[in-house]
Amino acid sequence: MTPLRALGEAAISVLMIIGLMFCLAEHFLLSLLAMLFLMARQEEPVMLAESRRGVICTPHNDASAAGMRMLEAGGTAIDAMLAASAALAAVYPHMTGLGGDALWMLHDGQVRTIVGIGQAGQQLPEGGRITLRGPASVATTAGAMASWELAGKISREQWGSRLGWRDLLEDASVLARDGVEVSASQLFWQQQRHDLIESLPDLKALCQQQGRWLQTGDLLRQPALADTLEQLARHGVQDFYQGELGVAFAESFARLGCGLSRDDLLATRAELVEPISIRYRDGTLFNVAPPCQGLYTLQAMAALQNKSLRACGDGSARYYHYLVEAIKQGLLRRNAELCDPASADWDFRASLSEGCGRDYAAIIDDHKAAAWNEPGRPADTVWMAATDAEGRTACLIQSLFHDFGSGCVLGDTGVLWQNRAAGFNADPAHPNAWAPGKRPAHTLNPSCYLSDDGRQLFFGTQGGDGQPQTQMVLATQLVDFAKPIDQALRTPRFLLGRSFFDSTDNLKLESDIDPQVAQQLAAMGHDIEMIPAASPFTGQAGAIALHPDGRRQAMHDPRGQGVALGQA
């Protein structure tokens, strides 16, 4: 362990104690924790991985290693993602797991998306309402395993994989059973959710040992999850819905009174869905269709298509102003209309026409910020991607919705269930209101850009409302300013509105943005707050770039613990 990391981790522990004893002011405590998290997040600097064969990028070194082993064994990019995602359930359980939802973006000469989103049960939870956490938030099924099953089928039947579920899940089951050093990210978030964890007993097994909170250097062990992974390895992931695991989950649903039943679980499906896209500069930008918020990422980019960002200057006040104002519109529309398209008569693709893009751009005042006081949608997730030796790419974004999801572990399965049901709107007249069998509006949305010159760019991030904002920075840096992925990921970011760490409606800027730019933005009417440079609050992004000359590059965000690897 390097002295810098040791210092950072020791400081985090001390500050946690001080914060609990003296209840430091929210913003002061969070800012200090964020800076110290950056100091402690890893021993080696984040490096760009490059290969002419396979590359992989995930938020944790053990997950990247698990995926790379599949590539080295002759597996596909899908195989690498399945192994890596399973490993993340063992090493990053506060952010992702088997009890969540998942979206895939696949490229093998064409762009396809897999939507694995669980649906509402036929009944509301006991008490007649959905809560943010706890048993009454376990009110939608989990779609991730259905997406794994469909992705695995494509890998075997179309991409020629010879690997089975035993191969794909072995590393994850070993990590869960033998244990892995608890991540700095989990330590950070368990401090933020201290009171929640105390109120939800199931979470104590993830965050405490013999009544003591996990600390730096402690091993996180999940033996019940290891048993579940081994069950899936033996019987296939369909067992999650149709087999012994499905029976165990149904028994837990009944005990929790969450409104779900065995029939709801059996009705869970993942499906191949045509991606949505726009022309952006000299290429095509893709995202995932509703109920995912990728529609509004593309709408914001369609507005920027009608603005000359290069003329503004990279990193200028006008550059950030245009991005912020474009996403303001998108988030307003999202909050008013995003819902399960199967439940509504909604031609959402029409909103991506060139004419609509011009209309979005016309709304932006070049010199003045529009007012902003919309409620935010906090969420956490993981984005990861791999490209195999054949040049096929699989991106996977998987989530429990909020960090630690519902806080409920179902029975003795070790599966922490998501709280995605909290994404429904409480207003029964809203398009996103709860209804039996309906999927909630979703924050997950990975991006892909195929340039006319042959470049292929894949990128995504965690962060709820921050997802489209970070993707806009990455897309404009990669496309408008032709930055390599390492420079694009290091570009200072912004975060508009309320988030998972505070309740302010302002525009947060990373502190390595030029102070004069911040002053100019304030003069335009933006309510500015400075946050630490390379702040984890602006997302944990990643990117893969495939170049016409055969180079394949991958990199994870310097703001996190992720690792990118390339085949030799």
Side-chain angles (χ1 to χ4, degrees):
M1 181 181 295
T2 63
L4 179 60
R5 179 178 177 182
L7 174 62
E9 292 175 342
I12 286 177
S13 300
V14 171
L15 187 57
M16 286 178 176
I17 296 170
I18 294 173
L20 291 172
M21 292 176 62
F22 297 104
C23 299
L24 295 175
E26 178 185 26
H27 287 281
F28 177 66
L29 175 60
L30 285 165
S31 294
L32 285 175
L33 281 171
M35 288 187 288
L36 293 169
F37 173 77
L38 290 168
M39 293 170 62
R41 63 185 176 220
Q42 58 188 35
E43 293 192 24
E44 300 297 333
V46 178
M47 298 297 291
L48 178 71
E50 184 169 319
S51 174
R52 292 184 177 271
R53 298 174 64 206
V55 292
I56 186 170
C57 169
T58 86
H60 194 282
N61 61 298
D62 285 324
S64 295
M68 179 54 69
R69 277 190 279 275
M70 298 304 101
L71 295 177
E72 293 286 6
T76 69
I78 292 175
D79 295 336
M81 286 293 91
L82 290 168
S85 185
L88 284 172
V91 302
Y92 236 54
H94 59 304
M95 290 290 177
T96 186
L98 310 186
D101 286 342
L103 299 178
W104 295 72
M105 183 166 281
L106 307 177
H107 183 258
D108 57 355
Q110 62 177 323
V111 178
R112 293 180 285 176
T113 66
I114 297 174
V115 176
I117 297 177
Q119 80 284 358
Q122 295 301 304
Q123 299 180 27
L124 281 167
E126 293 176 2
R129 69 184 186 92
I130 294 167
T131 57
L132 184 63
R133 305 277 196 170
S137 68
V138 182
T140 60
T141 64
M145 293 302 98
S147 83
W148 285 22
E149 184 175 12
L150 180 52
K153 183 178 180 181
I154 292 171
S155 184
R156 293 188 302 275
E157 297 181 2
Q158 299 178 29
W159 290 12
S161 173
R162 297 183 179 181
L163 300 179
W165 290 112
R166 287 184 181 273
D167 305 301
L168 300 172
L169 301 181
E170 181 180 4
D171 280 355
S173 61
V174 171
L175 289 167
R177 190 172 303 284
D178 293 351
V180 61
E181 183 176 345
V182 63
S183 68
S185 176
Q186 179 173 330
L187 292 174
F188 178 83
W189 285 108
Q190 73 181 31
Q191 164 60 16
Q192 299 306 303
R193 307 303 184 210
H194 183 278
D195 292 343
L196 173 74
I197 295 165
E198 289 285 11
S199 68
L200 293 170
D202 291 357
L203 291 180
K204 292 183 179 179
L206 284 177
C207 302
Q208 297 180 1
Q209 290 179 350
Q210 299 178 337
R212 179 182 65 83
W213 288 87
L214 290 176
Q215 300 172 8
T216 301
D218 286 341
L219 289 184
L220 170 67
R221 293 187 175 93
Q222 300 182 75
L225 179 64
D227 291 341
T228 290
L229 288 165
E230 290 167 6
Q231 173 80 3
L232 295 173
R234 288 191 298 270
H235 300 285
V237 294
Q238 67 271 13
D239 193 85
F240 191 90
Y241 304 99
Q242 301 171 10
E244 294 178 15
L245 284 172
V247 172
F249 293 145
E251 292 172 352
S252 292
F253 295 153
R255 286 194 296 271
L256 291 172
C258 64
L260 293 179
S261 69
R262 181 80 192 282
D263 287 342
D264 295 321
L265 200 61
L266 289 169
T268 305
R269 296 287 184 273
E271 55 185 349
L272 279 169
V273 176
E274 183 182 355
I276 52 177
S277 64
I278 61 167
R279 283 291 295 177
Y280 186 76
R281 309 309 182 206
D282 296 321
T284 305
L285 182 63
F286 295 86
N287 211 295
V288 183
C292 304
Q293 70 171 339
L295 178 69
Y296 306 98
T297 304
L298 292 186
Q299 287 180 6
M301 294 301 297
L304 297 181
Q305 169 73 356
N306 294 276
K307 299 290 186 181
S308 179
L309 298 184
R310 289 187 64 85
C312 296
D314 186 13
S316 68
R318 185 63 58 82
Y319 166 77
Y320 286 107
H321 174 74
Y322 280 155
L323 267 63
V324 171
E325 295 305 297
I327 198 57
K328 277 182 181 176
Q329 297 180 40
L331 294 178
L332 284 168
R333 287 188 290 269
R334 182 204 66 182
N335 291 351
E337 67 188 17
L338 181 60
C339 65
D340 186 347
S343 69
D345 183 14
W346 181 26
D347 183 12
F348 57 82
R349 293 181 188 271
S351 70
L352 297 176
S353 69
E354 291 184 7
C356 285
R358 289 190 294 270
D359 292 342
Y360 303 147
I363 296 172
I364 297 174
D365 188 318
D366 289 350
H367 307 287
K368 183 179 179 181
W372 183 254
N373 58 0
E374 283 293 293
R377 292 189 180 192
D380 275 303
T381 182
V382 292
W383 177 93
M384 53 193 142
T387 298
D388 59 33
E390 302 299 320
R392 301 166 300 206
T393 298
C395 301
L396 171 59
I397 187 164
Q398 190 165 319
S399 173
L400 297 173
F401 195 27
H402 292 62
D403 50 280
F404 296 105
S406 67
C408 297
V409 176
L410 299 197
D412 60 0
T413 66
V415 174
L416 177 61
W417 211 259
Q418 66 182 3
N419 65 329
R420 186 60 68 171
F424 284 118
N425 194 293
D427 181 356
H430 193 280
N432 186 41
W434 178 91
K438 187 175 180 179
R439 298 172 299 174
H442 234 268
T443 54
L444 303 186
N445 69 117
S447 284
C448 164
Y449 182 79
L450 302 182
S451 177
D452 295 345
D453 65 11
R455 286 179 301 144
Q456 301 173 22
L457 302 169
F458 304 88
F459 50 95
T461 184
Q462 64 158 212
D465 281 2
Q467 285 191 40
Q469 300 179 48
T470 292
Q471 287 193 39
M472 291 172 71
V473 173
L474 292 176
T476 56
Q477 291 294 309
L478 291 166
V479 178
D480 292 85
F481 298 101
K483 297 281 187 68
I485 60 173
D486 56 333
Q487 292 183 30
L489 286 165
R490 290 189 172 97
T491 297
R493 298 180 194 155
F494 65 90
L495 180 62
L496 171 69
R498 302 178 189 184
S499 67
F500 47 73
F501 68 94
D502 69 9
S503 58
T504 56
D505 292 315
N506 56 14
L507 177 63
K508 299 159 186 70
L509 303 178
E510 291 186 323
S511 62
D512 49 346
I513 289 177
D514 188 328
Q516 290 188 349
V517 168
Q519 293 172 10
Q520 292 167 7
L521 288 168
M524 298 168 83
H526 295 280
D527 180 11
I528 301 297
E529 176 185 349
M530 304 306 295
I531 59 176
S535 170
F537 297 136
T538 61
Q540 307 280 309
I544 282 181
L546 278 64
H547 300 278
D549 63 5
R551 289 177 299 125
R552 295 159 184 178
Q553 297 175 316
M555 183 169 167
H556 192 269
D557 206 322
R559 295 159 181 81
Q561 296 177 278
V563 171
L565 301 173
Q567 284 184 280

